[in-house]
Amino acid sequence: MLTSKVIEQLVGALGKEKVFTDKEDLAAYSFDATADMPKVVPEVVVTPTSTREAQEIVKLAAQHKVPLYTRGSGTNLSGGTIPINKGIVMVMVKMNKILEVDAENLTATVQPGVIIQDLNDAVAGHGLIYPPDPGTIATATMGGSVAECSGGLRGLKYGVTKDYVMGLEVILANGKIMHCGGKTVKNVTAYDMVKLFVGSEGTLGVITEIIVKLIPAPEARKSALAIFRSLDDAAKAITGIINNKVIPATLEIMDNVTIKTVENYAHVGLPTDAEAILLIEVDGIPEVVEKEAEAVIKVCKENNGQLKIAQTAAERDEIWQARRDALPALAQLSPTTVLEDATVPRSKIPEMLKALRDIAQKYQLTIGTFGHAGDGNLHPSIITDETDIEEMKRVHQAVDDIFAVALELGGTLSGEHGIGIAKQKYLEQEFGEAGIEALRAIKRALDPENLLNPGKIVQP
Amino acid sequence: MAYYDSLDNVRAEITRCMKCGNCQAVCPIYKEVLGESGVARGKIQIAKDLLEGELELTDKMQDIFSLCLTCKACAANCPCGVQPDKIILAARAELVRKKGLPGLKRQIFGVLGKPQRFKLGMGMAAKLQGFGLKKIPSSNAAHPRFPIGIDTRRIVRPLAKQSLLSRLPEVSKVSKPKQRAAFFTGCMLNYMYTEAGKAVVEVLNANDVEVITPKSQHCCGIPVFVHGDVKTAKAIAKYNLDIFAAGNYDAVITHCGTCIGAWVQHYPELLLDDAKYSKLAEQMAAKAYDVSQYLIDKVGLKEPTGQVAANATYHDPCHMVRGAGIAAQPRQVIESIPGVTLTEMQKPDRCCGGAGSFSLTHYPLSSQIRDKKIADALSVKPDMVLTSCGACRMQLEDGLFQAGSDVPVKHVVELLAEAYVKGGGRDSGQKTG
């Protein structure tokens, strides 16, 4: 329980206008973007505007042993920012300065509250990009994105957030500030603490400054949409493209349920009898893009794919609109959309898709699957209604099955959404007992009192 | 039942929100306050808690729901197609039903519910405003001398000495009428921008449209409605529908984002469960047009020949662009004028922060939002800023003044009227009284 003394001290440290205790304000921080999660109202919400203020908050939390939940925009999809043990919610969105764009070293230094799109806008003038591009790029913060190690549509070629974080400033659970990594391309000093904190979901420390790697913006890009009557053909095309030494920036898949739903929603002229659609984009130097596009087209044709190639920016937009419509179209079918994040080696995509079809049938559920085929990261989306208790039971069983299959196929529980609360119970299936103990040991070492985002990933 | 009649009526709308937070990217208020209760997602959760009895109606809640411009940017950006503005308006209505209106609003809205008394009051205010307003030399604007419910920093248009309705003839004839249109003036035109009101009649006449301006028409009622006073809004809607249904018109013409929204969207919604009026509201909605929309889509604009050399930029009023889907037509009108170059600002459809009386009740926050708009508009170095709404216009005028700019703000059809006159068009003064 948080005492009025703690609130008084928070007000003393931050000023009244950065400390929220009204029930209505607190209610607005009782949830995040994850469906089917408990709603928990925090006891106080604070909005620091500097590292020093954030440090004061961590110190107060440590002194009074109060749970501290750090969050950005709250767009995460694993329950990672829900204040499950109440306590303090620390919102980082007001620490939103881009501190430096260093074009010579191809780095940017930002505060955690910077919106990813804003960073991209700021570096565009230098001809650079920050490649991780989660679907929430226009709303998600850099801090949240680093904490969750988010991915995105360009993951196949460009990787995920951890591949771009070079240095961090972190407030530890005891209130002390540590720095790790930096601007050097080569840095092998001691343990890789940067990688440890990236994806730690706020359980090991509070990130207050981030140095990221930037890359030159691709000069050209080419997009195509390929329609397949058979799932196996689509799968062969996916592996065929990569076997032909082409790594597309984006290689997305939509299954039949998704195709039908998108078509019904947006009427963009998709064939509703197709088993799968691939959306492919290659980017880079114009000559290379041409060559790679040719290879992609050839492979798709060889595998009975029907092709639509964008010739103009407008046509490219049209192709991507179908993918952008996937989630909204599915989401509009019913009140609740349970969006999962199962990931398999890309060669196992057809097996995974077939398994998902079986699971949908077994539990009599509608599951639309789309996602990042090129990197094996699928988003089976279960269309349901939270208020239907009987159906939700089946949903939970289906989710159990989905992760069991993904792991059996040599996959992982998360490609980009993290573990949070949502996938805790499966963690041991992936990590094993020894692995879980190692995770716990790290948590205990860095946060012995279990104050930082408690209740997420592993219990101490 | 209209969804504003009970919070329960927006339950389905609330449930559809999947809490993705995409509304954060486009909400002008969220961009300033950076708090969840400022954005649609947070407000929807609060409305849900209210519905489920986990929260109760408080002054704080009233504050939270008042922090919305009803600019509909969240609705336009929502992947699930949720219309948060409906939820917020329903919540405001619930608050008024359960807690009543605050004293000042109760008095003002009480008068608005009585068209004759409102008219009388505005007439008196026009005469007495010199006591409250201090004119700014060499401009057509003024500062409040003391905070008469308005921040003294802001500039306002003084009320016109003579209202538009008292100046316009009931019928403005043309020799060979193609259409007969009724003109719904709205308050901003009737009491402040009367010249713009005259311009509407001139351009319609110039396009061979006979204009009837019913004298007893009243405020559209939306300012009352957005504050949650559904009862008064319904009464005003019926009053206006009666007046405009009485004549035999091809169209009802408005000149303002809010007014067009009233006719095409809110009247049918508000009167949904009224057997007589819901049908009437639907019929009238089908004939209601913004003036630019009418000229382009229905009449076929007569291209002006007079030159107006200017670099103009256009601000989309929220209720025009997202509420009624009118964006292309005002631009077509602008581009039809010889000599005028339309240079788009970066985000022409971002809210100016005016939102009717929001700029009065929340002046500092409204100003922050407005300043972004003004910076965007000025970045294209315009000779004039054009728009299609009186309330936006007043906000933009204040913003330009505060930014030290003397760039004028005009309604699109005022510029068109100017081009007709320069092209040797009809002598407007005679025709419109």
Side-chain angles (χ1 to χ4, degrees):
Chain A
M1 247 318 262
L2 199 148
T3 59
S4 55
K5 194 172 152 207
V6 180
I7 292 176
E8 257 172 54
Q9 288 180 330
L10 285 168
V11 171
L14 304 171
K16 224 173 145 184
E17 72 285 1
K18 292 177 191 171
V19 181
F20 299 92
T21 53
D22 283 334
K23 278 190 288 189
E24 295 83 356
D25 284 321
L26 301 181
Y29 291 95
S30 63
F31 62 94
D32 59 28
T34 322
D36 190 30
M37 279 288 125
K39 190 182 81 183
V40 184
V41 181
E43 288 161 284
V44 62
V45 172
V46 288
T47 57
T49 53
S50 66
T51 298
R52 196 196 56 74
E53 285 182 349
Q55 189 183 19
E56 288 298 314
I57 297 162
V58 177
K59 278 182 180 168
L60 280 169
Q63 186 192 333
H64 298 282
K65 300 200 180 0
V66 181
L68 179 68
Y69 292 90
T70 312
R71 70 182 262 158
S73 298
T75 56
N76 56 294
L77 291 164
S78 57
T81 58
I82 296 170
I84 195 94
N85 296 354
K86 295 180 170 280
I88 305 170
V89 161
M90 176 159 72
V91 188
M92 305 302 276
V93 295
K94 290 186 182 171
M95 285 179 65
N96 58 358
K97 288 191 194 69
I98 295 170
L99 301 168
E100 185 195 45
V101 175
D102 182 347
E104 266 177 43
N105 287 307
L106 296 180
T107 67
T109 306
V110 300
Q111 287 188 314
V114 169
I115 305 294
I116 308 172
Q117 184 65 55
D118 291 347
L119 173 62
N120 270 297
D121 292 347
V123 302
H126 299 278
L128 300 171
I129 59 166
Y130 171 69
D133 63 339
T136 48
I137 191 165
T139 42
T141 61
M142 287 295 292
S145 179
V146 170
E148 295 289 324
C149 195
S150 55
L153 292 169
R154 292 194 289 227
L156 171 58
K157 183 170 178 178
Y158 295 106
V160 295
T161 302
K162 66 180 167 191
D163 302 313
Y164 294 88
V165 181
M166 299 175 75
L168 292 172
E169 177 185 84
V170 181
I171 307 172
L172 298 172
N174 58 14
K176 291 185 179 165
I177 292 178
M178 77 165 276
H179 291 88
C180 49
K183 283 188 184 180
T184 62
V185 175
K186 285 179 160 178
N187 184 330
V188 297
T189 306
Y191 302 137
D192 192 344
M193 296 301 274
V194 175
K195 284 272 201 305
L196 179 63
F197 284 112
V198 178
S200 66
E201 304 186 25
T203 61
L204 301 181
V206 175
I207 296 164
T208 46
E209 227 173 272
I210 307 156
I211 302 172
V212 294
K213 177 165 77 179
L214 305 170
I215 65 164
E219 288 170 34
R221 52 179 47 146
K222 195 145 199 173
S223 306
L225 180 145
I227 298 156
F228 295 88
R229 303 281 152 190
S230 118
L231 200 55
D232 286 322
D233 282 346
K236 278 185 215 150
I238 295 168
T239 42
I241 290 166
I242 290 155
N243 286 344
N244 272 270
K245 310 288 178 293
V246 176
I247 308 289
T250 310
L251 176 42
E252 297 285 299
I253 192 166
M254 283 162 54
D255 75 347
N256 176 263
V257 175
T258 311
I259 296 165
K260 278 197 279 195
T261 313
V262 168
E263 182 52 28
N264 192 32
Y265 164 79
H267 309 290
V268 283
L270 300 179
T272 49
D273 56 344
E275 275 204 345
I277 284 179
L278 297 182
L279 300 120
I280 310 151
E281 182 164 294
V282 289
D283 70 1
I285 295 160
E287 295 81 0
V288 176
V289 167
E290 273 314 309
K291 202 178 149 211
E292 291 191 337
E294 268 172 42
V296 167
I297 292 164
K298 188 166 156 274
V299 172
C300 287
K301 281 189 179 157
E302 280 169 4
N303 290 291
N304 310 313
Q306 223 185 310
L307 273 158
K308 206 166 134 185
I309 299 142
Q311 304 297 346
T312 62
E315 284 176 17
R316 176 179 178 266
D317 264 6
E318 224 169 87
I319 283 180
W320 286 106
Q321 193 56 44
R323 170 63 177 86
R324 279 194 288 267
D325 284 340
L327 179 58
L330 288 167
Q332 295 211 8
L333 290 183
S334 73
T336 311
T337 309
V338 176
L339 178 72
E340 288 304 350
D341 182 27
T343 304
V344 293
R346 80 180 136 247
S347 63
K348 303 288 186 189
I349 292 257
E351 271 176 78
M352 189 67 203
L353 286 172
K354 281 173 198 156
L356 288 167
R357 215 185 310 180
D358 294 343
I359 292 169
Q361 206 165 23
K362 180 175 167 193
Y363 295 104
Q364 295 162 306
L365 296 166
T366 305
I367 305 182
T369 302
F370 59 92
H372 320 303
D375 49 42
N377 181 199
L378 292 176
H379 293 309
S381 303
I382 309 176
I383 306 309
T384 179
D385 182 349
E386 273 185 291
T387 58
D388 185 338
I389 293 163
E390 191 278 320
E391 187 173 87
M392 285 312 284
K393 230 185 248 170
R394 285 184 278 125
V395 169
H396 296 144
Q397 288 169 326
V399 172
D400 291 351
D401 283 15
I402 290 172
F403 287 113
V405 175
L407 291 173
E408 256 169 49
L409 294 172
T412 177
L413 297 172
S414 176
E416 56 188 14
H417 293 175
I419 299 301
I421 307 172
K423 281 178 269 184
Q424 265 177 0
K425 63 172 171 172
Y426 310 118
L427 204 53
E428 198 168 332
Q429 290 177 44
E430 181 171 340
F431 262 90
E433 204 191 317
I436 293 284
E437 196 35 57
L439 293 181
R440 283 195 179 123
I442 293 169
K443 171 70 176 169
R444 280 195 297 261
L446 284 173
D447 181 18
E449 303 283 353
N450 191 29
L451 299 176
L452 301 179
N453 205 5
K456 314 299 166 63
I457 310 184
V458 276
Q459 307 294 346
Chain B
M1 233 180 6
Y3 62 83
Y4 323 107
D5 290 333
S6 156
L7 193 59
D8 205 50
N9 292 355
V10 289
R11 191 184 283 273
E13 199 70 27
I14 287 174
T15 315
R16 273 166 63 202
C17 169
M18 62 186 274
K19 305 180 290 187
C20 66
N22 279 8
C23 39
Q24 291 173 7
V26 293
C27 174
I29 292 207
Y30 179 76
K31 291 275 178 207
E32 302 302 327
V33 301
L34 295 175
E36 279 283 343
S37 68
V39 77
R41 177 173 75 164
K43 289 193 176 85
I44 292 172
Q45 181 63 48
I46 290 166
K48 191 175 182 187
D49 286 348
L50 180 62
L51 202 55
E52 286 167 3
E54 287 184 34
L55 286 174
E56 45 193 66
L57 294 166
T58 56
D59 291 344
K60 172 75 189 190
M61 195 174 283
Q62 204 140 16
D63 288 347
I64 287 172
F65 285 116
S66 73
L67 279 191
C68 169
L69 304 159
T70 64
C71 74
K72 299 173 194 268
C74 49
N77 194 48
C78 177
C80 301
V82 179
Q83 292 176 281
D85 49 316
K86 282 194 176 181
I87 297 169
I88 289 161
L89 290 173
R92 287 182 183 175
E94 181 84 355
L95 282 155
V96 169
R97 270 192 303 273
K98 299 272 165 71
K99 280 177 70 83
L101 280 163
L104 184 63
K105 275 186 198 166
R106 196 168 61 233
Q107 283 174 17
I108 296 172
F109 296 172
V111 175
L112 259 170
K114 299 180 181 67
Q116 289 316 314
R117 268 182 60 196
F118 179 63
K119 236 168 242 179
L120 196 70
M122 290 303 275
M124 271 165 63
K127 289 195 183 74
L128 298 173
Q129 62 186 332
F131 296 113
L133 295 178
K134 185 173 161 211
K135 212 164 157 359
I136 297 163
S138 76
S139 88
N140 198 9
H143 281 300
R145 285 185 205 275
F146 34 82
I148 39 170
I150 300 175
D151 194 293
T152 51
R153 282 166 294 185
R154 90 159 289 160
I155 63 157
V156 291
R157 271 293 170 128
L159 297 171
K161 288 204 173 63
Q162 260 191 303
S163 73
L164 178 66
L165 284 171
S166 68
R167 288 173 68 188
L168 285 180
E170 181 106 27
V171 183
S172 304
K173 286 195 182 220
V174 288
S175 50
K176 282 183 200 149
K178 279 203 259 183
Q179 295 240 313
R180 292 181 83 232
F183 180 23
F184 182 77
T185 66
C187 300
M188 295 299 292
L189 250 65
N190 189 25
Y191 297 111
M192 286 184 183
Y193 298 109
T194 51
E195 293 306 312
K198 277 179 63 186
V200 173
V201 179
E202 283 163 22
V203 299
L204 288 174
N205 282 173
N207 282 275
D208 302 316
V209 176
E210 181 174 302
V211 182
I212 297 93
T213 312
K215 292 280 179 189
S216 50
Q217 59 178 286
H218 187 38
C219 166
C220 68
I222 300 309
V224 178
F225 164 63
V226 297
H227 285 278
D229 186 356
V230 174
K231 207 174 135 200
T232 308
K234 283 184 182 183
I236 294 177
K238 288 179 188 172
Y239 178 89
N240 280 325
L241 283 167
D242 277 336
I243 287 173
F244 281 81
N248 180 25
Y249 315 120
D250 301 312
V252 174
I253 303 302
T254 71
H255 175 279
C256 152
T258 308
C259 297
I260 187 67
W263 286 93
V264 298
Q265 184 198 344
H266 292 299
Y267 288 176
E269 279 174 357
L270 276 166
L271 301 168
L272 202 64
D273 53 352
D274 187 305
K276 177 184 162 202
Y277 281 99
S278 73
K279 211 170 148 215
L280 196 56
E282 288 293 347
Q283 284 166 357
M284 299 307 281
K287 333 187 195 183
Y289 297 90
D290 163 65
V291 58
S292 297
Q293 181 194 26
Y294 182 65
L295 289 172
I296 297 290
D297 295 351
K298 282 310 266 190
V299 180
L301 178 75
K302 191 182 279 177
E303 301 243 333
T305 53
Q307 284 269 337
V308 185
N311 177 30
T313 193
Y314 178 72
H315 161 72
D316 286 289
C318 296
H319 290 176
M320 194 77 84
V321 58
R322 282 178 294 275
I326 302 166
Q329 298 94 329
R331 288 178 169 80
Q332 279 170 267
V333 169
I334 297 166
E335 284 173 332
S336 76
I337 302 169
V340 173
T341 318
L342 174 63
T343 313
E344 295 282 3
M345 55 185 104
Q346 245 180 0
K347 292 181 181 165
D349 63 347
R350 191 180 192 271
C351 182
C352 65
S357 57
F358 183 87
S359 63
L360 305 180
T361 52
H362 296 81
Y363 188 68
L365 182 54
S366 162
S367 302
Q368 280 169 257
I369 297 166
R370 176 206 66 201
D371 288 348
K372 291 206 168 82
K373 178 98 239 174
I374 296 299
D376 190 6
L378 289 177
S379 73
V380 302
K381 302 198 168 28
D383 301 317
M384 63 180 71
V385 178
L386 298 173
T387 190
S388 292
C389 172
C392 295
R393 177 179 185 173
M394 192 160 83
Q395 175 81 348
L396 295 169
E397 283 177 344
D398 182 34
L400 287 162
F401 174 82
Q402 307 292 353
S405 160
D406 55 6
V407 169
V409 187
K410 289 181 185 179
H411 192 284
V412 169
V413 297
E414 265 180 293
L415 195 65
L416 179 63
E418 218 177 295
Y420 282 139
V421 170
K422 285 196 175 158
R426 43 199 304 138
D427 179 6
S428 54
Q430 253 176 13
K431 287 288 160 196
T432 56

